[in-house]
Amino acid sequence: MSNPQQLRYTKEHEWLSDAVDGVATVGITEFAATALGDVVYAQLPEVGETVTEGETCGELESTKSVSDLYSPVSGEVVEANQDVVDNPALVNSAPFEGGWLFKVRLSDEPKDVLSAEEYAALTHSDN
């Protein structure tokens, strides 16, 4: 499992891109997608909604279980990935590309994020 070097990660298995003009992209990691199993439903935060770092902001349902989605940052949601709502399997097939979940305008810098190497150590995966 390869974790892209340019992303930051959380202990709850979300990834976060660097902000461009104050907006960062959020998704779940390949490790999390594999652990969930086949994702069949995605409830994402809505545009305009305020999310809070570490708080629940949606859920992903798989053939195995339902998992809460936690926001790795605080801010205002500016886009939700409609492709994932329409085709939740993208979370499994392309977690770092087309399977991203939402974009958020940051209200502050994330606090507890990990580098790709630190996340790989946490999950004991190859980087």
Side-chain angles (χ1 to χ4, degrees), residues 73-90:
V73 294
S74 296
E76 181 184 349
V77 176
V78 297
E79 185 178 354
N81 189 348
Q82 188 61 44
D83 290 342
V84 165
V85 173
D86 295 341
N87 181 12
L90 284 171

Side-chain angles (χ1 to χ4, degrees), residues 1-3 31 116-127:
M1 219 176 294
S2 181
N3 300 307
F31 178 88
E117 292 83 11
E118 291 166 330
Y119 184 72
L122 175 75
T123 61
H124 306 301
S125 61
D126 293 331
N127 199 19

Side-chain angles (χ1 to χ4, degrees), residues 2-16:
S2 181
N3 300 307
Q5 295 291 316
Q6 75 276 16
L7 300 177
R8 293 176 284 170
Y9 301 87
T10 71
K11 292 177 182 174
E12 289 76 32
H13 309 291
E14 287 88 22
W15 60 260
L16 176 71

Side-chain angles (χ1 to χ4, degrees), residues 27-98:
I28 68 165
T29 65
E30 184 176 2
F31 178 88
T34 300
L36 271 174
D38 295 333
V39 177
V40 296
Y41 173 77
Q43 178 205 350
L44 304 178
E46 295 182 18
V47 172
E49 186 177 332
T50 299
V51 294
T52 303
E53 184 173 349
E55 298 291 319
T56 303
C57 64
E59 68 179 29
L60 297 173
E61 183 178 328
S62 72
T63 54
K64 292 181 182 179
S65 67
V66 175
S67 180
D68 286 333
L69 175 63
Y70 296 93
S71 181
V73 294
S74 296
E76 181 184 349
V77 176
V78 297
E79 185 178 354
N81 189 348
Q82 188 61 44
D83 290 342
V84 165
V85 173
D86 295 341
N87 181 12
L90 284 171
V91 171
N92 298 106
S93 64
F96 297 115
E97 295 89 26

